[in-house]
Amino acid sequence: KQEVTQIPAALSVPEGENLVLNCSFTDSAIYNLQWFRQDPGKGLTSLLLIQSSQREQTSGRLNASLDKSSGRSTLYIAASQPGDSATYLCAVWGDKIIFGKGTRLHILP
Amino acid sequence: EPEVTQTPSHQVTQMGQEVILRCVPISNHLYFYWYRQILGQKVEFLVSFYNNEISEKSEIFDDQFSVERPDGSNFTLKIRSTKLEDSAMYFCASNRGEKEKLFFGSGTQLSVL
């Protein structure tokens, strides 16, 4: 059974710093991995989708990597801004799409 | 940019009542999903729907739940007799192909009293 873990559960960093969010999964037989952002009480905004044949995807200040063999993905956020404060979720696609519990990110002005 | 639309944004109901949550997926998408998120917990898969039938469902999606695509644009989730533990945020999602990027609506917060 696929399990998805995100560490840390919460993170506070000063504005301007680069940071890395981690996602690990137990079953490497996946199709895709997608990173989402969730603001409090709101829906999920898609950030990046990495297909299983890809190693990374980039969008603006965001870079997501995927290492299937080790069951890990990272989301790198460059030059963090207060507007980046949100919960970041990773979702792993196998038979079903399984979500991690998320990392609550707080960027300190 | 096209988006998935959900109505209502909030729904309050009494235990035992039926509720229908509504979604309008992105127009050229073919795969539709319902997820839920209980406060403070993970987003959980409920059901996927393709070609006018359920393609997969989780153990949460019991006989009290049903989905329907009544016309070419709407996708609904019905809970026949709500329980307290059905209180959650319900998200509709869609994608163009089964392995393509998933787009979520902003959710319906269901409160069962």
Side-chain angles (χ1 to χ4, degrees), chain B residues 6 17 21 24 30-31 61 66 76-77 81 92 106:
Chain B
Q6 289 187 246
Q17 295 295 303
L21 309 183
V24 179
L30 302 176
Y31 294 81
F61 194 88
S66 62
T76 61
L77 174 70
S81 176
C92 174
S106 54

Side-chain angles (χ1 to χ4, degrees), chain A residues 4 31-32 34 38 93 101, chain B residues 37 40 42 98-100:
Chain A
V4 180
Y31 298 116
N32 298 322
Q34 191 166 355
Q38 186 177 28
W93 302 47
K101 205 168 177 183
Chain B
Q37 186 178 32
K42 290 186 179 187
E98 195 176 13
K99 296 184 177 64
E100 297 198 24

Side-chain angles (χ1 to χ4, degrees), chain A residues 3-5 31-32 34 36 38 41-44 46-49 51 89 93 95-97 99-101, chain B residues 33 35 37 40-43 45 56-58 89 91 95 97-107:
Chain A
E3 292 187 10
V4 180
T5 304
Y31 298 116
N32 298 322
Q34 191 166 355
F36 293 88
Q38 186 177 28
K42 304 287 186 188
L44 280 66
S46 175
L47 297 174
L48 291 162
L49 173 78
Q51 296 177 339
L89 303 173
W93 302 47
D95 294 338
K96 300 185 186 69
I97 300 172
F99 280 81
K101 205 168 177 183
Chain B
Y33 310 82
Y35 287 81
Q37 186 178 32
Q41 298 190 23
K42 290 186 179 187
V43 175
F45 168 77
E56 187 141 13
K57 59 183 180 179
S58 72
M89 181 77 96
F91 292 110
N95 56 5
E98 195 176 13
K99 296 184 177 64
E100 297 198 24
K101 188 184 282 191
L102 199 56
F103 292 84
F104 279 75
S106 54

Side-chain angles (χ1 to χ4, degrees), chain A residues 16-83:
Chain A
E17 281 200 6
N18 304 325
L19 58 101
V20 175
L21 307 180
N22 297 293
C23 172
S24 61
F25 46 95
T26 53
D27 184 352
S28 61
I30 65 169
Y31 298 116
N32 298 322
L33 186 144
Q34 191 166 355
W35 282 92
F36 293 88
R37 168 190 173 131
Q38 186 177 28
D39 292 285
K42 304 287 186 188
L44 280 66
T45 301
S46 175
L47 297 174
L48 291 162
L49 173 78
I50 311 177
Q51 296 177 339
S52 61
S53 58
Q54 297 173 321
R55 299 281 296 183
E56 62 180 288
Q57 281 285 329
T58 298
S59 175
R61 292 183 295 109
L62 305 179
N63 175 278
S65 69
L66 174 63
D67 184 343
K68 268 182 58 175
S69 60
S70 67
R72 292 179 186 276
S73 176
T74 61
L75 180 68
Y76 174 83
I77 303 177
S80 57
Q81 301 169 358

Side-chain angles (χ1 to χ4, degrees), chain B residues 4-7 21-25 33-34 73-76 92-93:
Chain B
V4 177
T5 306
Q6 289 187 246
T7 54
L21 309 183
R22 301 181 191 280
C23 170
V24 179
Y33 310 82
W34 284 100
S73 59
N74 290 284
F75 179 51
T76 61
C92 174

